[in-house]
Amino acid sequence: MSVPGAMIRCMDLTRFFADVDAQPWADLHHAYGSAADIPDCLRALAGESEEAASEAISELYGSILHQGSVYGATARAVPYLARLAGAGYRTEDLLVLLGGIAEGGADEGDSEEAACRAAVVGQLPLILAKADAEDPGLRRAAAWAAAMTGAAEQVLPVLRLRRKTETDPGVRAELLGAMAHLDPPGTAADATAAIGAHEPAEVRIVALLACVDGGLPWGPAHHAAMLSLLPVNDLVEGRLDLERNEPLQYVVEELLRRDTDADRDAAYTLLDGALRSADSEARAEALWAAETACLLSRSAPERLAGAVEAMVADPADAPAAYSLLAKLGVRAAAAAPVLARLAAGEGDPADRALEALVAVAPDRAAPLLARDLGRRPRALGAACGFLFGGAAGASFTYDPELLDAIRTRLAEAGGPGADEVVRLVNLLGAWGSRASAALPELSAVLSLCPGAVPKALVAICPPEHRGTTAELLTAAARTGPEEGRLAAAAAVRELTGETGPLRAAVAARLTPGGPAVREAASLAAGLGPEAVALVPALRSALSDRAGDRNIPQMDADVEIAAALWRITGDPEEAVPVLAGVLAEVQPMWLRWTFGRAARAAARIGGAARPLVPALEGLLTEPMQIPSAVLALHAIAPETLDGPRTAGLLLDAAEQDADAETALDALVVLGPDSLTEDGRRRLIALAERDLRVRASGLEPGIAPADERLREQAREAARTPAKP
């Protein structure tokens, strides 16, 4: 910048910072509390130190635009950020920050989000002026920031005019993307015209994304253009639109979300072509897109199976496909010979191949795992159910050779660490009586893994050894590691029916604020009236409702209330405890606690009628609707309108908001609540291609969704109300 310009900036700074300092920053808030630090950040932006200015930008992203969230101080800061940008101080960085603030804002209402977007809209004249800047980086930042405001009437004419004369490929791409963001259908024609080879690759890929966003059918021209551009991630590397920074994955996902046969065919035809590409980077992008498809689409494993052989045609390329092959499971059986050869090797590469083989061909994986068990942690984790999202070790095949290897491994001096023992124990427990030969080795590691071993011992223990095993567990319940005493005592009860050790262990753990109160209360509830001697300890373990309670304390209180009811049959103590929990402020993170309270209330039944208003209040939050409905049905069924309630439950299920409980509640409501429209929605949940369960740990998504499908099918068999 020229010297005269710098002088003008300096002259303006005195007045600028007088205005800044006049603002009540200490009374405003951002992500870290008081916004009193904002003036220092603004001064650093206008200072001579590039390092200090960079640090100030980083601090502002952390405070006034924290992970996309905006605050009261954010809107107040916007005019000052804009004035600094207009004066040439870190202009490109500040334009991007302003665009992020607008993106995190809202279009309507009196919220802080709406105030933030409105504040950025107020700076549009300054932002749009930079669309004609000499620096391409400034032009790109201005186009993106202006688009994030959503102010289409003000922004689109400027962007369209600029696009007529713009020659820089990156800026042309950003302009087209900005136009598509503001007006997807209205930009479709421009996007279609830009997918041809006459445009730079950076523009063509953005044009393809704009075609999808504009709702255009994905035709042969789009298919050919995308395949010709692969790999495409580098083409959007410099763009500010992070939502579309993996174009192939984005296109596949958007086509699948349309949920039509034609769009699914287009998505899978595109994936098949990309997976068979001669370019390794293109195949890598296709593998990631295919994994996304598996998490989103129920038909993905079947539709992608045809390309499996291409994925592993070259063993050197096979490792890149392991994660996808694991998601395809047995449908990727064509890859089993290659995986088996690779799994027979050494070190981590062999372990990774065996991990995939566990899902693809368990029968072939088991002997390979047995041969080198101690050096196959990934494969062992998969075999123990971790690959299947906790679907239990029964998901993995029983193998005598592997059983012998586990016994040997457990008996080795200085053998497995605690984490490995947990996995081995879980696998033995999942095999049940078939693993009974491992009883001595499992007993020997009880002290090393006191929380998991008792349950596994119960699962594998043959009848003739129940007495000696119960003696071992009784001793563990009395004098073993504290963290395992409840598990050991519960196992004794399961083996012999004797409850004395469990009552003693529960009483010892019912200490106010203790780490195991919730577990102890749950076990006490399972004892019923037989645990009447524990009632005083349960009462004393309740938290102080007059003080601030954390979530673990409230969860424990719910379990204690349920235990008091199960033991005494008297609702006089339990209902007020549950009422106290349900009366808490309802932030998002309490939804599971409220659900537990509602389920406890349902078990009490009609005697919990004082809780009806609080339970009805839960019907506004999808995640809480299912448990609240079950509770209201058990306590005061007359308060529920059947068809309306069924509609709320279907809403929750379709949003994957405690969908399993929602479907259970639909069955409980009975046939009179299910209209023909409701039945159609249930059938759609069961038979549509898009998964209902689309959140959670990746390995568990598909198995959980399959269970939901069966639930929906069962519920749909209920005769519908005419």
Side-chain angles (χ1 to χ4, degrees):
M1 180 166 290
S2 65
V3 173
M7 291 175 62
I8 291 172
R9 293 193 313 181
C10 291
M11 287 173 61
D12 291 338
L13 284 180
T14 300
R15 186 182 306 169
F16 174 82
F17 282 113
D19 190 7
V20 168
D21 293 337
Q23 304 305 311
W25 299 108
D27 298 329
L28 299 169
H29 73 279
H30 54 45
Y32 299 114
S34 168
D37 58 341
I38 287 182
D40 287 341
C41 289
L42 296 175
R43 282 184 165 84
L45 290 173
E48 298 296 329
S49 170
E50 285 295 315
E51 182 179 356
S54 295
E55 289 178 1
I57 288 288
S58 179
E59 289 180 20
L60 289 169
Y61 270 104
S63 59
I64 66 173
L65 184 59
H66 183 74
Q67 297 180 356
S69 297
V70 292
Y71 306 88
T74 311
R76 187 68 66 98
V78 163
Y80 301 103
L81 299 172
R83 286 166 64 183
L84 286 173
Y89 295 101
R90 305 290 295 218
T91 304
E92 184 174 343
D93 289 333
L94 290 176
L95 287 177
V96 175
L97 178 58
L98 289 169
I101 292 170
E103 186 180 25
D107 290 320
E108 298 177 351
D110 298 324
S111 65
E112 292 177 347
E113 290 82 2
C116 288
R117 179 166 289 184
V120 182
V121 169
Q123 303 302 320
L124 271 175
L126 181 149
I127 295 171
L128 289 172
K130 300 302 179 183
D132 292 321
E134 183 178 349
D135 182 355
L138 290 181
R139 299 201 298 275
R140 294 173 65 178
W144 181 77
M148 292 305 102
T149 66
E153 290 187 4
Q154 293 173 254
V155 175
L156 276 173
V158 177
L159 298 185
R160 286 172 176 152
L161 183 63
R162 179 66 217 181
R163 188 166 177 268
K164 290 180 180 179
T165 58
E166 183 59 62
T167 58
D168 183 275
V171 182
R172 284 183 62 77
E174 202 68 63
L175 287 166
L176 183 59
M179 290 162 54
H181 176 82
L182 291 168
D183 183 15
T187 308
D190 287 334
T192 300
I195 67 173
H198 61 282
E199 285 279 9
E202 298 93 328
V203 177
R204 295 177 68 198
I205 190 60
V206 173
L208 287 168
L209 296 172
C211 287
V212 171
D213 290 338
L216 296 180
W218 188 265
H222 303 90
H223 176 87
M226 179 63 85
L227 290 183
S228 72
L229 289 170
L230 290 173
V232 291
N233 286 357
D234 287 348
L235 298 177
V236 296
E237 187 175 4
R239 289 201 66 212
L240 298 168
D241 180 6
L242 300 182
E243 184 182 353
R244 297 165 183 79
N245 62 354
E246 294 175 321
L248 180 60
Q249 179 269 335
Y250 181 83
V251 167
V252 168
E253 182 172 346
E254 291 303 303
L255 290 176
L256 291 175
R257 287 193 185 280
R258 293 179 182 181
D259 202 20
T260 70
D261 290 340
D263 288 306
R264 272 189 294 278
D265 287 344
Y268 288 116
T269 301
L270 179 61
L271 273 178
D272 188 80
L275 288 167
R276 299 176 190 275
S277 172
D279 188 296
S280 60
E281 290 185 27
R283 293 197 301 275
E285 292 180 8
L287 287 167
W288 171 240
E291 287 194 56
T292 301
C294 287
L295 298 176
L296 187 64
S297 165
R298 289 167 169 169
S299 63
E302 182 178 351
R303 298 293 294 265
L304 294 169
V308 166
E309 291 188 33
M311 295 178 210
V312 295
D314 184 348
D317 292 338
Y322 287 164
S323 181
L324 176 58
L325 293 173
K327 288 181 174 63
L328 298 183
V330 295
R331 289 186 176 86
V338 173
L339 291 175
R341 284 200 305 275
L342 294 169
E346 298 293 332
D348 184 67
D351 189 19
R352 294 183 63 230
L354 186 55
E355 179 185 25
L357 189 62
V358 163
V360 171
D363 290 343
R364 297 187 70 159
L368 290 169
L369 181 57
R371 290 177 203 171
D372 205 3
L373 182 59
R375 290 184 288 184
R376 297 291 181 262
R378 290 175 177 269
L380 176 61
C384 290
F386 293 87
L387 182 65
F388 306 97
S395 297
F396 188 67
T397 185
Y398 166 77
D399 182 80
E401 291 181 42
L402 183 54
L403 174 60
D404 290 341
I406 292 173
R407 295 182 63 191
T408 300
R409 182 71 178 148
L410 288 174
E412 287 177 356
D419 288 344
E420 184 182 348
V421 170
V422 170
R423 294 182 172 192
L424 297 173
V425 166
N426 287 340
L427 187 52
L428 292 173
W431 283 342
S433 60
R434 293 173 296 180
S436 60
L439 186 63
E441 292 80 15
L442 199 54
S443 300
V445 297
L446 176 57
S447 61
L448 184 61
C449 191
V453 168
K455 182 177 180 181
L457 283 171
V458 171
I460 76 167
C461 186
E464 63 270 21
H465 289 290
R466 287 185 178 177
T468 55
T469 302
E471 290 177 6
L472 176 71
L473 289 167
T474 299
R478 291 173 179 165
T479 61
E482 285 193 10
E483 66 270 23
R485 291 181 184 179
L486 286 173
V492 171
R493 182 194 182 200
E494 192 167 350
L495 278 174
T496 68
E498 185 182 352
T499 61
L502 182 56
R503 293 198 304 273
V506 167
R509 301 298 274 178
L510 285 175
T511 56
V517 171
R518 179 181 167 193
E519 180 187 4
S522 178
L523 289 168
L527 289 169
E530 194 173 352
V532 66
L534 295 172
V535 168
L538 286 164
R539 290 170 178 157
S540 68
L542 284 166
S543 63
D544 180 8
R545 278 176 275 168
D548 291 333
R549 291 183 290 178
N550 58 33
I551 291 175
Q553 288 174 324
M554 285 186 277
D555 287 339
D557 285 351
V558 170
E559 290 296 342
I560 292 172
L564 290 171
W565 162 253
R566 290 280 300 276
I567 294 167
T568 68
D570 185 354
E572 292 300 317
E573 287 184 289
V575 170
V577 172
L578 296 177
V581 171
L582 291 170
E584 293 282 345
V585 178
Q586 300 185 22
M588 181 182 299
W589 50 87
L590 274 179
R591 57 179 51 166
W592 296 113
T593 298
F594 291 142
R596 294 184 185 98
R599 287 189 288 274
R603 290 192 290 271
I604 295 173
R609 185 170 287 272
L611 300 177
V612 166
L615 292 168
E616 289 178 330
L618 300 184
L619 296 177
T620 60
E621 166 59 44
M623 188 65 75
Q624 295 163 183
I625 286 171
S627 54
V629 168
L630 285 174
L632 289 168
H633 186 270
I635 297 167
E638 73 280 0
T639 64
L640 296 175
D641 176 277
R644 177 182 174 275
T645 303
L648 291 175
L649 291 169
L650 284 165
D651 291 343
E654 289 165 349
Q655 296 174 49
D656 190 23
D658 197 6
E660 298 93 336
T661 305
L663 294 174
D664 286 340
L666 278 171
V667 174
V668 169
L669 284 180
D672 287 343
S673 67
L674 195 62
T675 64
E676 280 298 332
D677 179 64
R679 187 170 182 275
R680 281 192 293 270
R681 291 172 69 183
L682 264 177
I683 292 172
L685 282 173
E687 307 306 333
R688 74 186 195 188
D689 185 68
L690 288 176
R691 295 193 185 281
V692 176
R693 171 58 51 80
S695 60
L697 295 176
E698 281 192 8
I701 289 176
D705 183 68
E706 285 303 313
R707 292 192 292 272
L708 279 172
R709 275 189 101 169
E710 289 306 313
Q711 269 190 286
R713 285 169 176 160
E714 182 63 30
R717 295 187 186 106
T718 304
K721 181 179 179 180

